[in-house]
Amino acid sequence: MKRTQGMHENLTVPFAGKKVFWFGERYFVDALQNMGADVTYARPDGRPLDWQGVVRTAGFEPDLLVYGDRSLPVPLLGLEDYPCPTMFLCVDTHIHSWYPFYAQAFDLCTVSLRDHMETFCNKRLPDERLLWLPPFARDEDLPKPMDKEWDLLFVGNVGEDIFPVRTRMLHEIGKRMPGLVVRQGTYRDLYPKGRVILNIAERGDLNYRVFEVLGCGGCLLTPAIGHGQEELFENGRDLFTYPVNDVDALVETAQKLLAEPELCQRVAASGQAKVDAMHRASHRAAEFARWAESFDLNTLAAQRRRQAPVIHDMFLRLLYLHLAETCGNDVLAMAYMKAAKRG
């Protein structure tokens, strides 16, 4: 399981001479294109694609296929037989327990949440074909000079049906801190207005909000969630942490920070500097490309195709059957049943 940093310097054109088809969430597609990579992007429409569907959607036969996790039911069918190399950028392992099995049908896989890496191990993919690739700030996440209007700001959706932990915590915090403000909208326009920016990790993930807040120059108060956060950022220097779901500790820390605005400014500046140096889309794109190109991708694809029947039977068949039974859509159910029979 590799993890590298600072790999963006002096990178030649990523995947030079290869036509890359990127399907799913966009992530750092723009950064790869800015480096000169030939990447075509398509957003899923809810229908899973087989190889013919991939070629039809892309408009060409890809030399490399990347699936950027969009937290969908199985989006690509028959992966074990795809003729080109394949990569899975896996993000939502805190939501989908089947990801470590689906990942075995790809040639390479990156995992966003470090503490979940072990669930991908000891299956088909060897450790060196798994990479911890944390979240990042987009290059557009930048500070904006604005007056501070709110003491403690949370930006994000609320609703007890979807976010019960978040809703409960915000209710408790609000009772103790009248200066709490909850907003939805464009976070880049909202973070600069908060003296302290709050993060709540509903499902125990190291989420993108951490990197977005720091990239925008905010003073971040976030749970000590694990997943390598403590390796990426230092508590008290780049951001501030509180024990997971501990409202008492959260409120105590927030009140102390509001009493020390110079400390908040200093830590926010340090967090932004660290993001600028190592944790933007351009850094992840370069790291992703350099790691992928350290392999003979065509050899990996040929190896997978030789193992295709075993991959299907061990890692995909039951998943397809389950989706066919539970998806609630006759057209999708037929597609999953066909994939379960392997054609």
Side-chain angles (χ1 to χ4, degrees):
M1 293 175 289
K2 291 188 177 183
R3 170 69 188 143
T4 53
Q5 293 188 8
M7 300 178 66
H8 63 292
E9 298 88 352
N10 302 319
L11 184 71
T12 57
V13 173
F15 309 116
K18 290 184 171 62
K19 298 183 73 173
V20 181
F21 178 51
W22 187 297
F23 184 67
E25 187 63 44
R26 196 174 183 92
Y27 294 114
F28 43 77
V29 167
D30 294 341
L32 285 172
Q33 291 173 333
N34 289 339
M35 295 174 186
D38 183 1
V39 183
T40 297
Y41 168 77
R43 184 185 180 94
D45 63 6
R47 295 174 295 178
L49 302 181
D50 58 12
W51 176 248
Q52 290 72 28
V54 166
V55 173
R56 186 167 54 251
T57 303
F60 58 90
E61 289 200 6
D63 299 314
L64 172 65
L65 170 70
V66 181
Y67 172 57
D69 183 4
R70 273 190 60 81
S71 206
L72 297 170
V74 172
L76 296 166
L77 304 178
L79 271 164
E80 68 275 20
D81 289 309
Y82 283 15
C84 74
T86 57
M87 298 184 67
F88 181 17
L89 266 72
C90 184
V91 174
D92 288 337
T93 51
H94 58 300
I95 300 174
H96 302 294
S97 60
W98 51 269
Y99 276 7
F101 299 93
Y102 185 55
Q104 307 306 313
F106 290 82
D107 299 313
L108 296 172
C109 178
T110 70
V111 180
S112 177
L113 300 178
R114 192 194 64 176
D115 296 349
H116 293 172
M117 291 284 289
E118 63 183 19
T119 65
F120 290 74
C121 298
N122 301 315
K123 294 181 175 65
R124 185 185 83 90
L125 291 178
D127 288 357
E128 61 268 19
R129 286 201 251 162
L130 300 168
L131 175 71
W132 175 37
L133 199 68
F136 54 89
R138 288 161 179 82
D139 293 343
E140 298 78 20
D141 295 338
L142 298 169
K144 292 183 178 181
M146 293 185 182
D147 293 334
K148 303 296 183 185
E149 298 182 21
W150 306 309
D151 285 344
L152 183 63
L153 172 65
F154 178 83
V155 178
N157 294 325
V158 294
E160 196 164 6
D161 55 335
I162 302 176
F163 302 106
V165 174
R166 178 185 298 179
T167 302
R168 176 187 60 81
M169 289 185 65
L170 289 171
H171 178 72
E172 290 297 320
I173 296 164
K175 289 194 298 186
R176 305 185 204 184
M177 296 190 65
L180 171 67
V181 171
V182 178
R183 290 286 186 272
Q184 290 82 45
T186 303
Y187 65 81
R188 295 180 184 121
D189 296 330
L190 294 170
Y191 288 154
K193 299 180 181 181
R195 294 179 178 86
V196 176
I197 313 300
L198 176 62
N199 184 30
I200 298 173
E202 174 78 22
R203 297 179 178 88
D205 57 316
L206 174 59
N207 55 35
Y208 274 79
R209 189 180 286 106
V210 170
F211 299 82
E212 291 163 352
V213 171
L214 297 179
C216 291
C219 177
L220 175 65
L221 178 57
T222 192
I225 203 65
H227 293 299
Q229 177 176 271
E230 68 283 356
E231 294 183 17
L232 305 177
F233 304 107
E234 184 179 341
N235 180 34
R237 181 171 182 174
D238 306 312
L239 46 68
F240 296 96
T241 65
Y242 62 91
V244 176
N245 297 342
D246 188 333
V247 173
D248 292 335
L250 187 160
V251 169
E252 180 181 358
T253 302
Q255 290 172 336
K256 289 180 179 178
L257 293 177
L258 291 171
E260 299 188 60
E262 291 183 359
L263 173 63
C264 292
Q265 293 172 9
R266 184 167 65 251
V267 170
S270 178
Q272 184 201 334
K274 191 159 286 186
V275 164
D276 288 345
M278 292 187 289
H279 304 303
R280 290 199 175 273
S282 54
H283 300 102
R284 294 293 182 267
E287 181 174 357
F288 168 85
R290 187 71 61 87
W291 175 67
E293 291 183 322
S294 71
F295 298 91
D296 184 333
L297 295 176
N298 290 329
T299 295
L300 297 185
Q303 180 188 76
R304 166 178 45 77
R305 297 184 74 187
R306 289 194 298 270
Q307 298 171 343
V310 174
I311 294 171
H312 176 270
D313 291 346
M314 288 188 65
F315 301 110
L316 298 178
R317 182 174 175 273
L318 289 179
L319 178 57
Y320 293 147
L321 290 173
H322 173 73
L323 287 170
E325 183 178 349
T326 60
C327 69
N329 181 299
D330 290 342
V331 175
L332 292 181
M334 289 179 61
Y336 287 128
M337 283 298 297
K338 180 180 179 181
K341 298 175 182 178
R342 198 158 176 260

